[in-house]
Amino acid sequence: MMCDAPHLLPTKVRRKRAQRNHPMKANFIYLLLLALSSLPVAAQAGRQNITPPPVPYATANQVNALMSQLESTATSAASDLSRLRINKWKAPGSAKQQAEANRQSILRNLETALPGMIGAVRSNPDDIAASFTLYRNLDALYDVLSSVAESAGAFGPRDEYEGVGNDLNSVEQIRRELADRVATLASSKETELAHLRTEVRAAQAAAQASPPKKVVVDDNEPEKKPVRKKKAVKRPKPAAGQAEQKPAANPPATKNANPQ
């Protein structure tokens, strides 16, 4: 955490620490968070239309609990940021403008980009791309929120800093848990790929050990002519009422009555 209980430090030390922030780094973080906030939510929603593979029950419960915690933190952070009275801080005008720009950027991210990312991870907990996209957004969100919390501790009242500071601690905890989960997913996918490579190599080795039978074709063998079958001749059927005539049997041979 960038600022450990700044309300316990003297006022001059807190203001000097807040003013030491490099403006280029603050602007870069602000632009990065703004770019993440403008990501099309449709791309995240389209990912939900794909039927994910079955996920172990324990893993699904773990992801749902983490996403519920993130949603609660986002709601609390949006409420605490809205209550900041930046215009009444005892700070230079440029510091107030930067803090206000950071606040608006965080609120846009919490309202537009973050819900779609949470839904994508919840619908498919084993999707590394969805989990990493959410982690990258939380990483940028943490940097900008820490800048606002540090400015609130240096220039604002104690109650304003405590609210934003608690939100910052929650975001940091969730970010770490999500980073551990992304690392676990990557290790699991790498193990699956190694297993598949082993199976493919074993199949290729088995195919090479038993080569297929060769079929020899003799081009010089004369072509056999097809044998034509003779069609049987059908006899005409006799007309109705007529009996079928059978050939007469040979008459018996008659004996010669005149003796020689």
Side-chain angles (χ1 to χ4, degrees):
M1 187 173 175
M2 295 180 62
C3 180
D4 297 331
H7 58 278
L8 300 179
L9 299 176
T11 305
K12 293 182 179 180
V13 176
R14 286 186 287 159
R15 292 183 178 179
K16 288 182 180 180
R17 180 174 293 184
Q19 291 174 355
R20 277 202 305 251
N21 290 336
H22 199 287
M24 294 183 62
K25 180 180 179 181
N27 292 334
F28 172 77
I29 296 174
Y30 167 72
L31 293 176
L32 177 60
L33 185 58
L34 181 61
L36 290 173
S37 302
S38 61
L39 286 175
V41 182
Q44 301 294 338
R47 197 190 303 270
Q48 301 178 15
N49 297 330
I50 303 175
T51 303
V55 180
Y57 183 77
T59 303
N61 284 345
Q62 179 186 5
V63 172
N64 288 332
L66 187 61
M67 295 300 102
S68 298
Q69 183 181 357
L70 179 56
E71 289 175 339
S72 177
T73 299
T75 302
S76 176
S79 177
D80 292 333
L81 287 171
S82 300
R83 287 198 297 265
L84 292 180
R85 293 169 295 179
I86 299 178
N87 58 337
K88 295 184 179 182
W89 286 358
K90 296 179 180 180
S94 59
K96 291 181 180 180
Q97 292 178 0
Q98 186 63 55
E100 180 63 30
N102 289 339
R103 175 171 65 173
Q104 296 300 326
S105 178
I106 295 173
L107 290 176
R108 282 194 300 269
N109 188 279
L110 296 177
E111 295 174 0
T112 58
L114 189 61
M117 297 177 188
I118 294 176
V121 174
R122 179 173 282 156
S123 62
N124 193 355
D126 285 348
D127 190 348
I128 297 180
S131 298
F132 183 74
T133 299
L134 178 59
Y135 168 76
R136 185 175 57 183
N137 185 77
L138 286 182
D139 193 53
L141 185 65
Y142 174 81
D143 288 340
V144 182
L145 187 59
S146 64
S147 177
V148 175
E150 189 172 358
S151 298
F155 306 120
R158 178 174 178 176
D159 59 338
E160 291 186 1
Y161 165 73
E162 288 181 346
V164 180
N166 292 333
D167 299 328
L168 182 65
N169 292 333
S170 298
V171 171
E172 182 182 14
Q173 180 183 356
I174 297 172
R175 182 185 64 165
R176 290 180 178 179
E177 293 183 10
L178 187 60
D180 294 339
R181 171 152 184 81
V182 171
T184 302
L185 285 177
S187 177
S188 176
K189 296 299 181 181
E190 184 63 26
T191 302
E192 292 179 7
L193 289 176
H195 182 68
L196 290 175
R197 293 191 190 102
T198 303
E199 290 183 351
V200 170
R201 291 172 183 171
Q204 291 176 348
Q208 293 177 359
S210 56
K213 297 180 180 180
K214 295 182 180 180
V215 179
V216 180
V217 179
D218 189 1
D219 296 336
N220 298 326
E221 184 179 358
E223 183 180 358
K224 295 182 180 180
K225 296 182 179 181
V227 180
R228 296 182 180 179
K229 296 182 179 181
K230 294 183 179 180
K231 296 182 180 180
V233 180
K234 296 183 180 180
R235 295 182 179 181
K237 296 181 179 181
Q242 295 182 0
E244 183 179 0
Q245 296 180 359
K246 296 183 179 180
N250 294 332
T254 58
K255 297 183 178 179
N256 190 0
N258 297 324
Q260 295 182 350

